[in-house]
Amino acid sequence: MDILKAAEKLMSMDESAWQRHSSPLSVYSRFSILPMFTFVIGIREHLGWWTLLLFGVVVLWTWLNPRLFSAPTTTNNWASMGTFGERVYLNQKNESLIPKHHLKTAKGIILLQLVGLPFWFYSLYSIDTLLMMISTLYLMFTKAWFVDRMVWLYKDVKDLNPIYQSWYKS
């Protein structure tokens, strides 16, 4: 999807950043981003103008996260393979090796994420704490499901491309 490619470009993900992002510390700590955005925006009435500063810190964390950790010595784990699968998926226009069932399922999960976004945005607008928690958990669940699907994708295609094979370190 073009939105994913745009996000990759916005994040300036070069080869070094991708290698660092394959660290489980990067992947797992990245799950903190949505709750942090939710929290900062959710308490904006209490923070006033400080909201902008904290929002900036979360944006900075979002950009820094894939670069902060060193590349892992082993990539034989769920988090690393999820990152590799995402790279394969982002390259789908240039890659005929991706099985159609993976593309269909990934697009379905992305659609489910898009369905949850209006509820999340409304919860932030209305400062509805319960809806914030539910919609944030929903979006985090669908993100974890997407990453899990990317692991499956990577496992299915890694032996078909020498570049993909080179990412795997047992």
Side-chain angles (χ1 to χ4, degrees):
M1 293 190 96
D2 291 336
I3 193 165
L4 294 175
K5 205 64 169 165
E8 178 188 24
K9 191 171 187 165
L10 182 66
M11 290 291 294
S12 306
M13 294 291 286
D14 59 9
E15 184 63 31
S16 174
W18 275 112
Q19 288 300 317
R20 290 170 162 276
H21 182 42
S22 69
S23 165
L25 291 172
S26 175
V27 173
Y28 294 127
S29 63
R30 205 155 172 82
F31 277 96
S32 70
I33 292 170
L34 185 65
M36 287 191 299
F37 273 121
T38 303
F39 179 74
V40 168
I41 297 169
I43 63 168
R44 67 186 177 276
E45 289 184 346
H46 302 289
L47 295 175
W49 287 103
W50 288 104
T51 303
L52 295 175
L53 176 67
L54 288 177
F55 189 85
V57 168
V58 177
V59 169
L60 180 63
W61 169 242
T62 303
W63 186 85
L64 268 178
N65 178 278
R67 295 157 180 82
L68 193 62
F69 303 98
S70 57
T73 55
T74 179
T75 59
N76 185 14
N77 59 72
W78 183 85
S80 295
M81 287 189 275
T83 303
F84 301 153
E86 186 178 1
R87 289 184 75 180
V88 171
Y89 182 76
L90 288 171
N91 194 37
Q92 65 182 284
K93 288 184 180 171
N94 302 321
E95 185 61 69
S96 60
L97 300 175
I98 300 176
K100 299 294 181 220
H101 65 279
H102 285 298
L103 294 175
K104 183 178 177 183
T105 304
K107 288 177 182 177
I109 296 169
I110 291 168
L111 180 63
L112 288 173
Q113 290 173 321
L114 292 173
V115 166
L117 279 176
F119 295 98
W120 183 70
F121 283 120
Y122 177 76
S123 75
L124 296 175
Y125 169 77
S126 64
I127 310 179
D128 182 333
T129 306
L130 181 60
L131 187 56
M132 272 186 229
M133 291 188 308
I134 292 169
S135 60
T136 300
L137 286 172
Y138 174 84
L139 291 171
M140 290 177 69
F141 171 79
T142 56
K143 176 61 178 174
W145 187 12
F146 182 80
V147 173
D148 191 62
R149 190 61 188 216
M150 294 299 101
V151 171
W152 187 358
L153 166 61
Y154 178 68
K155 285 180 175 181
D156 282 357
V157 302
K158 78 176 171 76
D159 294 330
L160 304 176
N161 184 318
I163 293 172
Y164 301 162
Q165 287 175 342
S166 72
W167 299 336
Y168 187 82
K169 301 174 205 161
S170 56

